[in-house]
């Protein structure tokens, strides 16, 4: 499944958990699924950050390390802060 599809699923889980119509048993199952999904998404984001660091090269052919910081928690947008080695 794609990252975006997993995020979409997380949103649906959050909506269901906020609903008054979701039973306790269903809420527990959804919470467990959400936690696993959250862990997987975080892992994939860390991997993406690692790949960005590897491909950010300076003009001399060396590798320039860039840190990525989230502009807002939960957003997919990132700001880069350069830090040459």
């Amino acid at each position: 499944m794609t990252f975006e599809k997993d995020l979409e699923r997380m949103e649906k889980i959050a909506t269901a958990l906020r609903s008054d119509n979701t039973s306790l048993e269903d809420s527990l199952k959804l919470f467990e699924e959400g936690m696993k999904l959250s862990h997987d998404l975080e892992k994939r984001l860390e991997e993406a950050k690692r790949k960005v660091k590897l491909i950010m090269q300076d003009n001399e052919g060396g590798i320039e390390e860039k840190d990525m910081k989230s502009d807002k928690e939960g957003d997919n947008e990132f700001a880069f802060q350069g830090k040459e080695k």
Side-chain angles (χ1 to χ4, degrees):
M1 196 175 276
T2 66
F3 186 84
E4 291 76 15
K5 290 278 184 193
D6 283 346
L7 272 181
E8 205 174 293
R9 177 66 185 144
M10 285 289 290
E11 289 172 7
K12 288 180 181 176
I13 289 171
T15 300
L17 288 173
R18 285 191 295 263
S19 170
D20 293 336
N21 298 325
T22 305
S23 69
L24 177 62
E25 292 80 16
D26 288 343
S27 293
L28 288 171
K29 288 177 187 171
L30 288 169
F31 182 76
E32 184 177 355
E33 181 186 352
M35 290 303 292
K36 288 178 183 173
L37 206 47
S38 170
H39 179 73
D40 183 54
L41 288 168
E42 185 177 324
K43 217 167 119 179
R44 288 156 66 186
L45 270 178
E46 288 300 319
E47 179 64 20
K49 284 196 246 181
R50 189 187 66 77
K51 284 182 182 176
V52 168
K53 282 183 178 181
L54 291 175
I55 60 175
M56 299 295 287
Q57 295 184 348
D58 65 16
N59 292 335
E60 297 175 11
I63 293 179
E64 182 180 347
E65 187 174 323
K66 301 275 186 179
D67 287 333
M68 297 173 51
K69 288 190 173 184
S70 175
D71 286 339
K72 299 176 198 169
E73 193 168 309
D75 281 359
N76 289 329
E77 298 175 24
F78 292 94
F80 293 91
Q81 292 183 338
K83 178 171 76 176
E84 289 191 34
K85 282 186 166 180

